[in-house]
Amino acid sequence: MKTFQHPRLMKVDPEFVPCKQMIGEEIWRNGIMHFNVSRIIDDIESGKLRVIRETIDVKKWSRIHSSSVINEEHMPNVVLSRPIIQAEIRHDMFELIDGHHRLEKAKREGLEFIDSFKLSGEQLSRYLTSVERYQTFVKYWNNKLQEYP
């Protein structure tokens, strides 16, 4: 009997090179997994990383996803024209990795929608900051895929 293999299973790349953090770069931490947000933004802006652009419903997103701590002093400087970034941390489950203040400002200003860039789990894996974190993410990803035939 042949067992089903999910088409999005990841294989650990033995040649994986971590996305090192340079001074001043932003890192999104999700448990042991640390992703270099600054490099993601650079690669999107340069065209090196092609992602889906999606408009999201501000109220719906805010209800479903947990919010982070908002620095009120930063709010006047928030620019809503920059898309927020959502990333697939497990199959079809997206989290905000950049733009918490933009989302909050959009909500406060009563905007219905905000633009976002959407990264798949496969794209996100390239931005892990160590081999150990990369291997952990691949294992986590594959385990979660087993829940979705």
Side-chain angles (χ1 to χ4, degrees), residues 23-95:
I23 294 173
E25 287 186 326
E26 182 181 352
I27 302 296
W28 180 64
R29 292 166 175 79
N30 185 6
I32 190 173
M33 295 170 278
H34 297 183
F35 302 93
N36 190 320
V37 174
S38 295
R39 296 282 176 86
I40 290 169
I41 293 169
D42 289 346
D43 286 353
I44 290 171
E45 289 176 351
S46 73
K48 183 178 177 183
L49 177 62
R50 296 207 172 271
V51 295
I52 295 170
R53 193 158 185 161
E54 178 180 89
T55 301
I56 62 171
D57 182 308
V58 172
K59 285 182 186 176
K60 183 178 178 183
W61 183 274
S62 298
R63 272 194 316 268
I64 296 171
H65 296 82
S66 60
S67 61
S68 64
V69 176
I70 299 298
N71 176 352
E72 293 297 332
E73 292 176 14
H74 178 64
M75 289 302 284
N77 302 320
V78 173
V79 178
L80 290 174
S81 60
R82 276 187 51 218
I84 63 175
I85 300 176
Q86 53 177 314
E88 187 178 30
I89 57 164
R90 66 177 191 247
H91 183 270
D92 238 4
M93 171 72 168
F94 290 84
E95 289 295 331

